[in-house]
Amino acid sequence: MGSFTIATLEDLREVAYVECFARGFTMEDSEDVGAMRRALREIRSLALPTGMSRDLIRRTAEERWKI
C-alpha cells in the first residue's frame, strides 16, 4: 500500500507512478493502470468535500490533543 499518481501522456496513454516503502516505480500495463483508476474512483466516491474534511480533521485534532 502506498501513494500513486496516474498521468495521461500526450498520445493519451495512461501510466501510473506508484510509491512504496523501499522505492517508486512506473507502471504502463493497461490492466494495472485501469485497476488503479477504478481504485481512485472508489476513493473519490468515499471522500468528503474539502471543507468538510478540513472541519473533521480540526475537530478530531481538538478532541484528541486538546489544541
Side-chain angles (χ1 to χ4, degrees):
M1 302 294 282
S3 64
F4 64 92
T5 302
I6 299 173
T8 303
L9 305 177
E10 288 182 7
D11 63 3
L12 301 181
R13 286 182 304 125
E14 290 185 316
V15 296
Y17 177 75
V18 181
E19 292 183 353
C20 62
F21 176 74
R23 63 188 169 101
F25 54 95
T26 302
M27 300 169 61
E28 296 184 38
D29 181 78
S30 61
E31 288 185 30
D32 291 337
V33 176
M36 298 182 84
R37 175 139 324 270
R38 288 188 296 279
L40 184 57
R41 275 197 304 268
E42 177 71 16
I43 292 166
R44 285 181 174 163
S45 75
L46 298 172
L48 293 171
T50 304
M52 291 175 72
S53 292
R54 184 179 47 245
D55 293 343
L56 176 61
I57 292 167
R58 184 177 294 123
R59 280 195 320 272
T60 301
E62 288 171 352
E63 290 170 4
R64 290 186 181 211
W65 296 294
K66 307 295 182 208
I67 294 175

